[in-house]
């Protein structure tokens, strides 16, 4: 397995996609390395947010055509399924700082992050149709971000678009000139909040996905009632009243 550059800055874990000679195409090796690095950050109580950046000219060129061109294997399918559902399964904030191209599976990867910052000239698009393919595995995540109708249009046309449109569509959240600096700022902000609140919140989002209105409301009340009794919420209220920064008990200190 390739070892990705990983840096810890306070409570932020920065993971760097590092296959620049292949524009960070999602080979079996790179996919496995991403999953392992994210998994290590999720399991580490000292990490409050995970920031993903990339080396080279592109953020991610999508699937590795040299590998999938020979036909998908069980391992390829399994790894891509995990990569392209990462945001729906992860209870720790995932933040991406995107530059260059993020096409095909790269757009699918971007759609899995909870917060995305991109440079103005970053390029996105579901370009699989140009290869006689459909974005099968990435469709769910992109559809969740953009809606089914817009995602279908992008899949049918294979057109590419820049960050301003990506922001308008809801694929990314912010455009910034220095995406790595801004991404770290956002990651540090998110990591400063209650780990318990974030974990419970992202778990709630995952649990109610696809539920009916009434059922989701019952889950919301149940989780909220439980959080109300938690020590982090009590500390947050005290800190607000005392006009000081909270010291979250769930940090273990």
């Amino acid at each position: 397995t390739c070892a990705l550059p990983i840096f810890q800055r306070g409570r932020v874990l920065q993971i760097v996609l590092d296959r620049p000679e292949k524009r960070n195409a999602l080979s079996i090796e790179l996919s496995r390395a991403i999953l392992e690095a994210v998994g290590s950050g999720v399991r580490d109580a000292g990490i409050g947010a995970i920031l993903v950046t990339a080396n080279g000219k592109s953020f991610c060129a999508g699937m590795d055509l040299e590998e999938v061109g020979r036909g998908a294997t069980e391992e390829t399918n399994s790894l891509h399924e995990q990569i392209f559902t990462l945001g729906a399964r992860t209870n720790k904030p995932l933040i991406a700082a995107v530059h260059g191209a993020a096409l095909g599976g790269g757009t699918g990867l971007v759609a899995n992050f909870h917060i995305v910052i991109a440079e103005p000239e970053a390029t996105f698009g579901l370009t699989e149709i140009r290869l006689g393919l459909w974005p099968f595995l990435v469709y769910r995540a992109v559809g969740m971000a953009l809606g089914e109708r817009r995602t279908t249009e992008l899949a049918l046309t294979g057109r590419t678009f820049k960050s301003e449109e990506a922001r308008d569509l809801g694929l990314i959240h912010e455009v910034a000139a220095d995406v790595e600096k801004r991404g770290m700022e956002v990651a540090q902000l998110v990591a400063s909040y209650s780990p318990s609140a974030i974990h419970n919140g992202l778990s709630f989002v995952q649990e109610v996905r696809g539920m009916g209105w009434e059922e989701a409301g019952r889950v919301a009340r149940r989780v909220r009632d439980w959080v109300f009794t938690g020590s982090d919420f009590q500390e947050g209220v005290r800190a607000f009243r005392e006009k000081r920064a909270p010291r979250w008990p769930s940090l273990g200190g």
Side-chain angles (χ1 to χ4, degrees), residues 41-248:
V42 169
R43 292 186 297 271
D44 187 343
I47 299 300
I50 298 169
L51 172 66
V52 176
T53 61
N55 285 335
K57 295 182 178 180
S58 296
F59 181 77
C60 178
M63 295 183 300
D64 187 321
L65 295 180
E66 291 183 14
E67 286 186 355
V68 298
R70 298 190 293 268
T73 65
E74 185 176 344
E75 183 178 23
T76 303
N77 283 335
S78 174
L79 287 170
H80 284 171
E81 171 67 15
Q82 293 177 68
I83 282 284
F84 296 133
T85 59
L86 199 55
R89 296 182 292 103
T90 303
N91 294 331
K92 196 161 281 190
L94 300 175
I95 299 159
V98 179
H99 73 278
L103 299 173
T107 290
L109 181 62
V110 166
N112 273 276
F113 288 88
H114 300 118
I115 302 175
V116 182
I117 318 294
E119 69 173 10
E121 294 303 310
T123 308
F124 307 88
L126 296 178
T127 53
E128 289 88 346
I129 198 69
R130 302 182 188 183
L131 301 174
L133 186 63
W134 185 265
F136 293 104
L137 291 184
V138 308
Y139 189 94
R140 288 165 293 170
V142 179
M144 195 177 300
L146 309 185
E148 179 183 320
R149 195 161 181 244
R150 176 61 73 186
T151 303
T152 300
E153 179 262 323
L154 294 175
L156 285 171
T157 62
R159 68 182 181 87
T160 61
F161 50 95
K162 299 291 188 182
S163 290
E164 185 175 350
E165 183 175 357
R167 181 184 57 197
D168 292 343
L169 292 176
L171 180 65
I172 71 170
H173 302 92
E174 185 177 334
V175 181
D178 190 337
V179 290
E180 191 166 326
K181 178 182 178 183
R182 180 58 183 155
M184 181 59 71
E185 289 174 353
V186 173
Q188 288 176 335
L189 173 66
V190 172
S192 73
Y193 295 136
S194 160
S196 175
I198 287 175
H199 175 83
N200 289 320
L202 291 179
S203 296
F204 163 76
V205 170
Q206 293 167 20
E207 185 176 352
V208 300
R209 185 172 294 127
M211 280 186 180
W213 184 266
E214 293 297 329
E215 186 180 7
R218 286 193 293 271
V219 174
R221 291 190 295 274
R222 170 176 56 79
V223 176
R224 189 180 69 157
D225 287 347
W226 186 81
V227 170
F228 275 161
T229 67
S231 55
D232 272 23
F233 176 68
Q234 302 300 324
E235 165 61 11
V237 172
R238 281 194 300 270
F240 176 77
R241 288 172 176 167
E242 296 168 10
K243 296 181 172 57
R244 60 171 173 81
R247 297 181 289 271
W248 305 117

